[in-house]
Amino acid sequence: MLRVGAHESIAGGVYNAVEDQVEDGGNCGQIFTHSPQVWQDPNIDDDEAEEFRQLSDEHGVGPWVIHSSYLVNLCTPKEDLREKSVDSMQKEVDAAATLDIPYVNVHLGAHTGAGVDGGLDNAASALDELDVPEGVTVLIESDAGSGTKLGGDFAHLAEILDRSAQDLDVCLDTAHMFAAGYDLSSPQAVEETLQEFDDVVGAEHLQCVHLNDSKHECGTNKDEHAHIGEGLIGEDGMRAFVNHDMIRDVPLVLETPTEDGKSFAWNIERVKELRA
């Protein structure tokens, strides 16, 4: 069964994300538990959580993913930022348990001078400080790879899975992969890229995909999302990707823009059309 949905707002109550998802035609999805631009704790009371769980069950929407704050930097060598990042992540995995959400998604962040090896060690040890509730898994998201950010190389993802004592898995973002230099613009490119992911990381670790087209060329490290099939990955690449054996059973979460009269509903329908 195709699982496709969008990143929905929790404005007015986290349960509103479920209703918005259903309205958009989705059956899985992602949320922030608070504004991702500030250090803030999830503010979800028991009644909200219960309604979210009930509505998700009633409408058959799931799995859901919590996306961590953009401020979290697991690779940082700065102790104060590390402490804030670990504290924020702990609150996110606890919120996931409360909402019966199985995944919390996080970027590794930037090593800011610690070097690749030092940054990966920092991230692994920060993740190891978390007390992850049963039934919740932290997903490391692939990155576009600009500056000193880690996660753009599949080898970074594999190293984190190896170095951390946590039972981690991976979320691939198609726009980030493309920006980082992994071509997805043709059936052959999709096959080669996903085979490389399987060889380096392992297909068994892929639990979610952020499905986004790209407004920029492959390898530019520029992260700007486009409508499905209308960016530089394009229709042929997107069709090959969503129909690939490695992807068919993986939930697809859209972070596409709302522009040109097209929103999440248009993009969700586009994915359904591309799935053979």
Side-chain angles (χ1 to χ4, degrees):
M1 180 181 183
L2 173 61
R3 286 283 161 185
V4 59
H7 182 115
E8 300 286 3
S9 169
I10 67 165
V14 65
Y15 47 82
N16 286 330
V18 184
E19 296 174 341
D20 289 344
Q21 193 69 258
V22 172
E23 186 174 335
D24 285 333
N27 59 6
C28 67
Q30 180 176 267
I31 59 170
F32 292 121
T33 62
H34 56 84
S35 170
Q37 308 285 1
V38 296
W39 293 113
Q40 184 178 339
D41 294 346
N43 185 24
I44 300 167
D45 63 35
D46 291 343
D47 289 342
E48 277 188 71
E50 176 63 19
E51 188 162 358
F52 175 87
R53 294 192 299 265
Q54 287 183 352
L55 283 171
S56 293
D57 288 343
E58 177 184 335
H59 292 288
V61 178
W64 285 95
V65 181
I66 289 175
H67 195 304
S68 64
S69 169
Y70 291 144
L71 300 181
V72 168
N73 186 347
L74 300 174
C75 293
T76 183
K78 300 175 181 177
E79 190 58 37
D80 58 339
L81 179 53
R82 175 191 173 92
E83 289 179 5
K84 287 181 178 179
S85 297
V86 171
D87 180 65
S88 178
M89 283 297 295
Q90 185 62 57
K91 290 181 170 64
E92 298 288 23
V93 295
D94 290 341
T98 299
L99 292 166
D100 282 349
I101 289 179
Y103 302 119
V104 174
N105 181 77
V106 65
H107 295 268
L108 290 175
H111 68 70
T112 62
V116 172
D117 200 56
L120 291 172
D121 276 343
N122 290 342
S125 61
L127 287 163
D128 286 349
E129 291 186 33
L130 299 177
D131 180 12
V132 182
E134 185 177 355
V136 177
T137 300
V138 175
L139 303 182
I140 308 302
E141 181 179 343
S142 61
D143 198 89
S146 60
T148 66
K149 290 181 180 178
L150 301 184
D153 191 320
F154 289 160
H156 298 167
L157 306 178
E159 283 291 332
I160 288 297
L161 268 57
D162 183 59
R163 296 185 193 199
S164 173
Q166 297 282 6
D167 187 13
L168 305 170
D169 281 317
V170 170
C171 172
L172 288 177
D173 184 305
T174 51
H176 295 173
M177 293 161 66
F178 194 69
Y182 294 101
D183 194 6
L184 295 168
S185 62
S186 70
Q188 181 179 348
V190 167
E191 179 62 37
E192 291 174 355
T193 291
L194 291 180
Q195 184 59 58
E196 183 173 353
F197 174 80
D198 190 21
D199 291 343
V200 176
V201 182
E204 69 276 12
H205 289 293
L206 181 58
Q207 299 300 325
C208 181
V209 166
H210 286 169
L211 192 70
N212 304 297
D213 211 324
S214 174
K215 291 187 178 181
H216 300 282
E217 297 281 357
C218 184
T220 59
N221 302 120
K222 293 182 178 179
D223 175 21
E224 192 174 2
H225 299 175
H227 295 302
I228 300 300
E230 298 200 348
L232 291 168
I233 295 175
E235 183 176 320
D236 288 347
M238 280 291 172
R239 178 181 287 107
F241 186 88
V242 301
N243 285 289
H244 194 279
D245 286 346
M246 190 185 301
I247 304 302
R248 289 189 69 88
D249 294 328
V250 177
L252 309 174
V253 177
L254 305 176
E255 301 169 322
T256 46
T258 297
E259 60 187 19
D260 304 325
K262 299 168 183 173
S263 60
F264 286 144
W266 185 92
N267 283 278
I268 288 171
E269 184 59 32
R270 187 77 175 108
V271 174
K272 292 176 181 177
E273 292 169 356
L274 291 175
R275 175 64 74 91

